[in-house]
């Protein structure tokens, strides 16, 4: 007897309902649960077939059915297969998107430098207050789990959890349901002690696993918001020599060194704040960077979607054309917001640009 789509749907409904309630599942419950629009009599016939196939059993007369180990194994195998395919597809998607994004950002920073005749900088987007999208625990060994955490921006983190005691497939399924129900859509700051305590109480003797999953969530979010790994693109450093007040050999050398080393730029971007209109202007001594005290720096924040943000900026003399610079940044900001928030992550060819 073949396990067709209808039987699979009914079996999944039985398993998921039993995991939630812990009570035997009847045909009437399944008729309300599924979208098959089948009568209770038809569902009973299908359940009878599933029982004959060894996927469900009736614990006692006139009771509903509960899944067997064979049913759990089928369910878990398909669940892991589906999630693995999703994570693999997500990784491929992000590689394509990253390649495309890098080409666009390099092109944009070169265009800004060329259009303004100043020096341009642009940081690749990083997660800001990212939220949990998905948690998947998979049983590798009786005392070992694979924990996959996905946060906004489709950032994926895999982590192996070693256990002191053996864990069953049914316990893993219940943990997945609990973790995704309680944590999906929350940022790290929203996962407070009260919520953690409540979830651990629900997890019972599996509360230690909850702690390890939370450690992984914190690790991946903090890693994505770590400015030490910030990717910054610059262009137009030679434009500095067009302005006498900046072309002094010592001053120019210090400024170019700042642009090349990137660490100072990362600190500057981390500390910069956009005003209400999305533009921030630092004039001379207002700049937190020593090598830019004779310059003006104008910055703006663009958004990629999914909690991802980056910064664009122009560095030039204090007598720069502020109106032109701000108009240029507003245009680029709007364009990047549109490109990264609404267009598909298609891979593009390599885009060459001058980068310091």
């Amino acid at each position: 007897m073949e396990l067709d789509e209808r039987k699979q749907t009914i079996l999944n409904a039985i398993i998921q309902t039993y995991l939630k309630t812990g009570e035997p599942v009847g045909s009437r419950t399944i008729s309300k649960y599924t979208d098959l629009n089948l009568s209770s009599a038809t569902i009973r016939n299908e359940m009878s077939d599933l029982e004959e196939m060894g996927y469900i059993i009736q614990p006692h007369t006139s009771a509903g059915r509960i899944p067997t180990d064979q049913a759990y194994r089928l369910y878990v195998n398909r669940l892991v297969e589906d999630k693995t395919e999703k994570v693999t597809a997500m990784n491929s998607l992000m590689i394509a998107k990253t390649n495309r994004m890098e080409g666009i950002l390099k092109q944009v920073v070169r265009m800004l430098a060329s259009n303004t005749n100043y020096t341009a900088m642009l940081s690749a987007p990083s997660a800001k207050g990212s939220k949990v999208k998905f948690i998947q625990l998979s049983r590798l060994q009786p005392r070992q789990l694979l924990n996959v955490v996905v946060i906004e921006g489709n950032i994926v983190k895999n982590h192996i959890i070693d256990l002191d005691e053996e864990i069953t497939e049914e316990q893993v399924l219940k943990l997945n349901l609990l973790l995704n129900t309680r944590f999906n859509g929350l940022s790290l700051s929203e996962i407070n002690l009260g919520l953690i305590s409540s979830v651990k109480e629900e997890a019972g003797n599996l509360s230690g696993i909850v702690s390890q999953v939370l450690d992984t969530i914190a690790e991946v979010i903090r890693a994505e918001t770590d400015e030490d790994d910030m990717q910054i693109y610059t262009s137009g450093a030679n434009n500095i020599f067009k302005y006498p007040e900046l072309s002094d050999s010592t001053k120019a050398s210090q400024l170019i060194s700042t642009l090349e080393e990137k660490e100072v730029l990362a600190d500057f971007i981390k500390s910069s704040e956009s005003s209400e209109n999305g533009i921030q202007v630092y004039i001379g001594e207002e700049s937190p960077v020593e090598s830019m005290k004779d310059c003006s720096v104008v910055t703006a924040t663009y958004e990629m979607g999914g909690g991802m943000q980056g910064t664009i900026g122009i560095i030039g003399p204090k007598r720069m054309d502020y109106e032109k610079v701000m108009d240029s940044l507003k245009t680029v900001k709007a364009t990047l917001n549109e490109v990264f928030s609404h267009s598909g992550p298609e891979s593009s060819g390599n885009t060459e640009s001058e980068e310091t």
Side-chain angles (χ1 to χ4, degrees):
M1 194 177 300
E2 191 174 328
L3 193 62
D4 56 28
E5 185 176 349
R6 179 193 288 182
K7 287 184 175 63
Q8 289 179 24
T9 301
I10 292 174
L11 180 58
N12 283 342
I14 293 172
I15 293 172
Q16 291 173 11
T17 303
Y18 181 66
L19 289 176
K20 291 179 182 178
T21 66
E23 300 291 335
V25 183
S27 58
R28 181 174 296 180
T29 300
I30 298 303
S31 67
K32 296 176 181 178
Y33 184 90
T34 67
D35 296 325
L36 293 175
N37 296 320
L38 300 175
S39 66
S40 294
T42 301
I43 293 175
R44 281 196 298 272
N45 289 334
E46 295 287 2
M47 291 174 70
S48 178
D49 290 342
L50 288 169
E51 187 172 3
E52 184 179 340
M53 297 168 72
Y55 288 110
I56 56 176
I57 58 174
Q58 190 173 25
H60 51 82
T61 307
S62 73
R65 268 70 166 182
I66 64 174
T68 64
D69 290 350
Q70 181 181 340
Y72 284 130
R73 170 48 60 194
L74 179 68
Y75 181 75
V76 169
N77 286 348
R78 287 182 174 166
L79 185 67
V80 172
E81 182 180 344
D82 289 345
K83 299 308 180 185
T84 300
E85 288 178 358
K86 288 180 181 178
V87 171
T88 300
M90 191 179 298
N91 283 333
S92 299
L93 203 63
M94 288 309 297
I95 289 172
K97 190 167 186 176
T98 299
N99 290 339
R100 176 175 179 267
M101 179 175 66
E102 183 176 1
I104 290 174
L105 296 182
K106 286 182 177 181
Q107 192 172 29
V108 166
V109 76
R110 183 176 62 179
M111 178 202 69
L112 269 176
S114 176
N115 288 352
T116 61
N117 277 320
Y118 303 129
T119 301
M121 66 177 180
L122 193 155
S123 69
S126 59
K128 302 293 181 183
S130 293
K131 298 182 178 181
V132 177
K133 287 185 65 175
F134 174 71
I135 301 169
Q136 176 64 41
L137 293 175
S138 302
R139 188 170 176 263
L140 299 178
Q141 301 290 339
R143 294 190 179 188
Q144 192 175 71
L145 294 175
L146 171 64
N147 177 29
V148 179
V149 174
V150 183
I151 65 170
E152 283 184 335
N154 289 341
I155 307 300
V156 182
K157 176 72 174 180
N158 299 324
H159 178 68
I160 301 296
I161 297 177
D162 293 314
L163 309 175
D164 294 330
E165 299 180 3
E166 293 188 3
I167 188 170
T168 66
E169 297 286 8
E170 184 176 354
Q171 288 175 315
V172 174
L173 291 172
K174 288 182 177 180
L175 270 177
N176 278 325
L177 178 64
L178 172 63
L179 293 169
N180 283 287
T181 300
R182 301 301 297 274
F183 293 135
N184 278 12
L186 299 183
S187 65
L188 187 60
S189 61
E190 292 172 321
I191 303 176
N192 54 45
L193 292 176
L195 175 60
I196 294 172
S197 176
S198 173
V199 174
K200 283 186 174 182
E201 185 176 347
E202 289 186 58
N205 62 346
L206 301 176
S207 61
I209 299 175
V210 174
S211 296
Q212 290 179 277
V213 171
L214 288 173
D215 288 343
T216 303
I217 293 173
E219 179 185 344
V220 66
I221 291 179
R222 285 168 182 157
E224 290 306 310
T225 56
D226 186 0
E227 272 74 13
D228 290 341
D229 296 325
M230 183 184 293
Q231 181 66 53
I232 302 175
Y233 305 98
T234 59
S235 186
N238 289 337
N239 287 338
I240 293 170
F241 297 101
K242 296 180 179 179
Y243 306 97
E245 62 267 46
L246 300 179
S247 60
D248 173 86
S249 60
T250 301
K251 293 180 181 179
S253 176
Q254 291 174 346
L255 184 52
I256 289 175
S257 178
T258 298
L259 297 171
E260 288 177 344
E261 292 174 1
K262 308 290 175 69
E263 290 87 352
V264 176
L265 289 183
D267 291 338
F268 173 74
I269 289 171
K270 180 181 178 181
S271 63
S272 64
E273 298 180 358
S274 296
S275 59
E276 291 183 2
N277 65 1
I279 301 289
Q280 181 66 47
V281 180
Y282 301 87
I283 301 174
E285 292 295 329
E286 294 174 355
S287 172
V289 180
E290 185 62 35
S291 62
M292 297 181 185
K293 296 294 186 181
D294 293 316
C295 306
S296 281
V297 185
V298 186
T299 65
T301 300
Y302 69 91
E303 298 181 358
M304 182 179 172
M308 306 289 280
Q309 295 180 349
T311 297
I312 46 179
I314 297 292
I315 305 164
K318 286 184 280 188
R319 58 185 176 93
M320 71 163 54
D321 186 338
Y322 292 98
E323 184 177 3
K324 179 180 180 180
V325 166
M326 287 191 283
D327 286 344
S328 296
L329 289 183
K330 287 179 181 178
T331 300
V332 170
K333 169 185 166 73
T335 301
L336 289 175
N337 288 353
E338 179 68 23
V339 168
F340 291 136
S341 297
H342 303 293
S343 66
E346 301 170 358
S347 179
S348 67
N350 293 329
T351 304
E352 298 297 331
S353 67
E354 295 177 0
E355 180 188 352
T356 62

